[in-house]
């Protein structure tokens, strides 16, 4: 990471091209990353450190995203570039396309390109455990349920939710079906709130 108070020109250019953050935003995030990274010699943040960040702690999907990211990188931490890209997706200014890609990837935990009943029920349980409201206005696929639910009721609710937009009637959502259902129900608008200006 070095002792510089700002990110390198190469990193700035790369992140400006791949995220919605401005150069000033990225430099502020870099300064914050360095503070969080003060005790890590490898220049990466552990999952535990990241989840201590207040904005991340209240986002139940972040833990899954970070776990997936750490699995890909060998579990040795999240780099500054990865840190910024996760923040960008969860920020209010993040693109719907990025949010959809992240949401689909997080819910499709087995990576088969489809969201099934068990996967949807699992993400609901994650959100309930984290204290997320399960009925934001309009977000049909994750919210039209009444809590508390038994395991059987949760699975039934997931099965019913998956009938919406399931055009090929296979009981699962493809990436395209998921996108249509989520955008129609304004689901993406409920994934946000983490950004460079929230220090």
């Amino acid at each position: 990471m070095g002792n510089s108070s700002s990110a390198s020109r190469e990193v700035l250019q790369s992140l400006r091209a791949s995220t919605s953050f401005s150069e000033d935003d990225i430099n502020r995030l870099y300064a914050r990353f360095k503070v969080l990274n003060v005790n890590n010699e490898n220049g990466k943040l552990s999952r535990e450190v990241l989840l201590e960040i207040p904005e991340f702690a209240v986002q139940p999907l972040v833990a899954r995203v970070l776990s997936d990211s750490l699995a890909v990188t060998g579990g040795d931490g999240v780099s500054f570039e990865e840190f910024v890209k996760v923040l960008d997706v969860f920020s209010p200014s993040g693109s719907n396309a990025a949010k959809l890609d992240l949401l689909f990837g997080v819910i499709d935990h087995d990576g088969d390109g489809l969201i099934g009943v068990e996967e949807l029920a699992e993400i609901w349980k994650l959100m309930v455990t984290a204290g997320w409201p399960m009925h934001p206005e309009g977000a049909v696929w994750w919210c039209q349920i009444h809590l508390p639910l038994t395991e059987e009721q949760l699975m039934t609710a997931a099965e019913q939710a998956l009938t919406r937009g399931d055009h090929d009637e296979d009981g699962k959502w493809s990436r395209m079906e998921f996108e249509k259902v989520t955008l129609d129900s304004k689901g993406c608008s409920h994934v946000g709130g983490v950004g460079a200006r929230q220090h």
Side-chain angles (χ1 to χ4, degrees), residues 17-128:
S18 60
T19 73
S20 62
F21 293 132
S22 68
E23 184 170 321
D24 286 343
D25 289 335
I26 295 168
N27 280 326
R28 281 193 288 270
L29 287 171
Y30 183 79
R32 187 175 189 185
F33 187 89
K34 286 187 66 178
V35 171
L36 294 167
N37 192 54
V38 66
N39 295 319
N40 294 332
E41 296 181 358
N42 69 353
K44 296 184 177 183
L45 299 182
S46 69
R47 181 178 183 274
E48 291 72 25
V49 169
L50 286 162
L51 290 179
E52 290 175 0
I53 301 172
E55 300 97 320
F56 277 5
V58 299
Q59 288 279 5
L61 300 182
V62 170
R64 177 71 71 83
V65 174
L66 295 177
S67 295
D68 290 350
S69 178
L70 290 174
V72 170
T73 60
D76 62 343
V78 173
S79 69
F80 174 64
E81 289 86 348
E82 292 165 334
F83 173 72
V84 174
K85 289 175 181 178
V86 171
L87 281 170
D88 184 50
V89 172
F90 282 92
S91 74
S93 59
S95 71
N96 275 346
K99 287 181 169 66
L100 283 165
D101 285 341
L102 179 139
L103 282 171
F104 189 85
V106 165
I107 302 171
D108 176 27
H109 202 43
D110 62 9
D112 68 351
L114 297 168
I115 292 175
V117 172
E118 293 81 4
E119 289 169 322
L120 186 56
E122 181 184 353
I123 207 70
W124 274 347
K125 285 193 290 186
L126 175 66
M127 296 168 75
V128 171

Side-chain angles (χ1 to χ4, degrees), residues 10 13 30 40 43 63 79 122 128 134 149 154 161 170 180 190 197:
E10 180 181 356
Q13 290 176 341
Y30 183 79
N40 294 332
S79 69
E122 181 184 353
V128 171
M134 294 297 287
L149 290 179
L154 189 62
D170 63 350
K180 179 169 175 51
H190 301 286
R197 297 179 178 81

